[in-house]
Amino acid sequence: MNKTLYLTTPIYYINGSPHLGHAYTSIIADVIARAHRLFGKDVFFLTGTDEHGQKIVEAAQKSGSPLAHFIDARAQEFKEMNTLLNISNSNFIRTSSDLHKKVVTEIITSIYSNGDIYAGTYRGLYCVGCEAYYSKDDLIDGNRCPTHQQEVRELEEDTYFFKLGKYQDKLLEYYEKNPNFILPQTRFSEIYNRVKAGLDDLSITRTSFDWGVRFPFDHKHVLYVWVDALCNYISGLDGIKTSTFARFWPPDVQIIGKDISWFHTVIWPALLLSAGISLPKQVLIHGWWTVEGDKMSKTLGNVIDPFEMSREYGSDVFRFYLMYNAHMGSDSNFSLAELKQQNNAVLANNIGNLVSRVVTLLNQYCNGTIPMITEFDPEEKKFIEIIKDNKKYVDEISSYTIRNALFDVIEKFAELNKYITDRKPWDDFKHSNKSRGEKTLAMICESIRFLSLQLDPFIPIKAQEIRKSLGTMNINLDFDFKYSAGSKVLAEKRILFAKLE
Ligand SMILES: [Zn+2]
């Protein structure tokens, strides 16, 4: 079994403040990172900010603050988002850092030495918003960017090209040998067919602005911001000839939004092939969020602010809602009414009520202590086996279908609720059948402890509070009564998940 896991989010472009989309990607990555740490893996989780390019210069000018201040303040906002959402990243890479610039220069030098860069002239339709050239076919009405809706500009400039076309066959071969390289599968065929149709060489330098990494072989040029940005996945490990790189490269999974899949599944692997660096194992592509049925946009004024959400509802409720509704392969819709409804039904009723019910019963009938039980009858053993079986959960996490993993845990909590309702331990205590009542509570308590660990990646704060309520902080991943028996539960009732109106 692979003992390390290297996963990345894209570095976020700091022309705007963090929004729902950034929070979503980071939370997906965080769930995967936390789950694998729980499974005992040595995890490196990279995120950061993309700070070069014309659009950043324009955004800084618009804001009225000097460029250096602007980028520091924006990068800080993204770090604060991570703190607020409990994102457990191992490193935060900024492309304006000296280390990053040095690593980019090294990689470009390898590619150049390999004969894959040549001088030429480029004329094309460029979207400043995307920092990308478009072919007419990809544009709305032949002149507007499909992402930004705004008109593209016609640019003509001296440039250096990367021989992307040279790597067509090697890319196709890599896709064929690694059918899980691009997830979900629907995205795989889309990319595969486009590459098969042919690849133009890629213009990788600009002369129209200078906020970027200098092209080392012609100082009039700076590197195309995407080529610069993609190298963060290496500079984030301190560069190529480092122990961190040796330990973690290549990435096990790179998590991205669907709008940047071409860069990550075609351009990035081609650059790596040219530089003689091994390729990432998987790229996990997620869809976008609409808000109450509409596309999220500044103009519509419906941008979901992760800071506001976390302050208003708590970061765990926000995390839970996004993961519970994350249709990885397609778009998802954000609805505040649904967030409240799901908080109430799933977190408060299904999980919170069960915990407080058990705590109350233990205080009432067992001196607040979880009983130690060793003997179970066949029916009870059968129930324990159902709860203990976490294979599906582990498989779902390992194949990055994390929403299904969350569903699986929630379903187990529903089983516990049904079990306690059917067994009626309160009746046993009232009718001098104490040992049966104790058995029920012991089974439920160890089940809750065990399942709370599976909730950890999704709702890290609340999962810990669940264990605190039961007085057992044991985080052993096995199901065993010795991990909860004898624990003193909280003496007073505590509301784990407040109902939302
Ligand atoms: Zn655009």
Side-chain angles (χ1 to χ4, degrees), residues 7-272:
L7 83 165
T8 66
T9 71
I11 42 174
Y12 301 124
Y13 206 44
I14 56 165
N15 63 319
S17 295
H19 58 62
L20 177 62
H22 306 112
Y24 180 49
T25 315
S26 290
I27 293 168
I28 293 173
D30 191 55
V31 169
I32 297 172
R34 284 176 183 272
H36 282 90
R37 283 193 205 105
L38 207 62
F39 301 159
K41 282 211 181 164
D42 181 12
V43 173
F44 197 96
F45 169 13
L46 181 69
T47 188
T49 40
D50 183 1
E51 306 185 355
H52 287 143
Q54 192 170 6
K55 202 178 173 186
I56 303 296
V57 178
E58 287 172 10
Q61 276 164 356
K62 223 169 149 186
S63 80
S65 49
L67 188 55
H69 284 206
F70 178 83
I71 60 169
D72 283 351
R74 276 291 162 77
Q76 189 55 31
E77 280 184 56
F78 281 90
K79 288 183 176 174
E80 281 164 15
M81 176 188 82
N82 288 345
T83 306
L84 199 63
L85 295 175
N86 266 301
I87 304 299
S88 61
N89 53 299
S90 319
N91 192 8
F92 189 100
I93 184 78
R94 296 181 56 184
T95 56
S96 61
S97 67
D98 289 341
L99 168 70
H100 174 76
K101 288 186 268 187
K102 182 177 145 264
V103 171
V104 174
T105 307
E106 275 171 23
I107 294 170
I108 283 301
T109 303
S110 295
I111 294 171
Y112 188 85
S113 314
N114 195 19
D116 285 341
I117 294 175
Y118 63 92
T121 328
Y122 190 84
R123 187 185 302 119
L125 301 166
Y126 190 79
C127 172
V128 179
C130 299
E131 303 278 8
Y133 281 104
Y134 278 96
S135 74
K136 238 181 158 70
D137 298 343
D138 295 330
L139 296 169
I140 304 169
D141 306 328
N143 68 353
R144 281 184 298 127
C145 166
T147 303
H148 294 92
Q149 319 290 326
Q150 68 197 14
E151 274 191 34
V152 294
R153 304 175 188 177
E154 172 136 16
L155 286 189
E156 185 184 310
E157 49 184 331
D158 285 340
T159 190
Y160 285 86
F161 285 95
F162 166 63
K163 291 181 183 168
L164 182 60
K166 176 179 160 186
Y167 289 95
Q168 181 190 21
D169 289 343
K170 282 197 172 141
L171 286 170
L172 291 172
E173 191 188 313
Y174 189 71
Y175 302 149
E176 282 156 16
K177 277 193 186 146
N178 300 278
N180 288 322
F181 173 58
I182 301 168
L183 292 177
Q185 281 296 332
T186 43
R187 303 262 177 234
F188 182 93
S189 22
E190 196 182 303
I191 299 286
Y192 183 89
N193 292 332
R194 268 182 75 187
V195 173
K196 193 142 198 178
L199 289 173
D200 292 333
D201 288 347
L202 178 74
S203 156
I204 57 159
T205 67
R206 301 283 180 270
T207 50
S208 50
F209 62 95
D210 64 359
W211 177 234
V213 180
R214 289 268 162 219
F215 180 56
F217 305 96
D218 184 342
H219 279 199
K220 285 198 303 293
H221 292 249
V222 294
L223 279 165
Y224 174 37
V225 67
W226 265 106
V227 172
D228 163 358
L230 288 163
C231 295
N232 93 84
Y233 302 124
I234 292 174
S235 60
L237 294 177
D238 304 334
I240 299 168
K241 287 166 199 130
T242 65
S243 58
T244 321
F245 184 85
R247 186 158 133 215
F248 291 105
W249 189 266
D252 292 273
V253 60
Q254 303 208 275
I255 299 147
I256 59 164
K258 64 180 179 184
D259 51 324
I260 54 175
S261 53
W262 186 254
F263 294 100
H264 284 83
T265 60
V266 181
I267 294 172
W268 177 226
L271 292 169
L272 290 170

Side-chain angles (χ1 to χ4, degrees), residues 19-24 27 85 287-297 301-327 330-343 500:
H19 58 62
L20 177 62
H22 306 112
Y24 180 49
I27 293 168
L85 295 175
W288 288 341
W289 284 83
T290 51
V291 177
E292 315 287 354
D294 287 316
K295 190 178 149 72
M296 184 170 69
S297 79
N302 64 351
V303 175
I304 297 290
D305 176 2
F307 293 94
E308 198 185 308
M309 285 295 131
S310 299
R311 285 190 199 108
E312 185 76 18
Y313 305 106
S315 61
D316 274 5
V317 172
F318 183 54
R319 287 173 65 112
F320 163 79
Y321 176 74
L322 295 188
M323 294 303 100
Y324 196 68
N325 296 281
H327 305 266
S330 56
D331 291 348
S332 316
N333 180 50
F334 190 94
S335 147
L336 212 46
E338 206 174 62
L339 178 145
K340 292 175 184 176
Q341 187 265 328
Q342 290 174 355
N343 169 76
L500 300 170

